[in-house]
Amino acid sequence: MPTLTDEQIQTRLALSSWSREDQAIVREWKLTNFERAIEFVNQVARLAQAADHHPDILVHGWNKVRLALSTHSAGGLTAADFELAAQIDALV
């Protein structure tokens, strides 16, 4: 899958709540409690497994989840990252 150009990335980011950090898109959620944070992580895991596209996941504090998406095999951001991001956004 080809990587997106900087212009394509900026266009897609303008339509989302994600931001860019180097060769990844990132987003953080603050959930109501620790249990809800873990439930959210499990929902993300099911989506990621189905898409065969796995984000970096950080649970921190007691209710915060940070995700980072990048297509490591392509060496940058691809359409797959934004497709999974949209699916994740629909969870919350």
Side-chain angles (χ1 to χ4, degrees):
M1 181 171 286
T3 57
L4 300 172
T5 66
D6 286 337
E7 184 177 313
Q8 290 170 318
I9 293 167
Q10 289 306 317
T11 299
R12 290 173 185 240
L13 286 174
L15 303 173
S16 78
S17 297
W18 294 73
S19 60
R20 185 175 185 181
E21 287 183 9
D22 298 319
Q23 294 301 316
I25 55 173
V26 298
R27 184 167 177 200
E28 185 167 311
W29 290 263
K30 184 176 181 181
L31 291 303
T32 54
N33 57 41
F34 182 74
E35 183 178 15
R36 180 63 189 114
I38 298 303
E39 288 171 356
F40 176 66
V41 167
N42 286 332
Q43 290 174 311
V44 169
R46 284 189 286 278
L47 288 176
Q49 189 65 27
D52 193 29
H53 193 67
H54 306 98
D56 292 336
I57 301 172
L58 172 65
V59 178
H60 61 104
W62 57 274
N63 65 339
K64 295 177 189 157
V65 176
R66 183 181 191 275
L67 300 178
L69 291 167
S70 181
T71 305
H72 301 289
S73 61
L77 290 163
T78 67
D81 299 303
F82 288 92
E83 290 165 11
L84 183 55
Q87 292 177 19
I88 292 168
D89 287 343
L91 294 174
V92 179

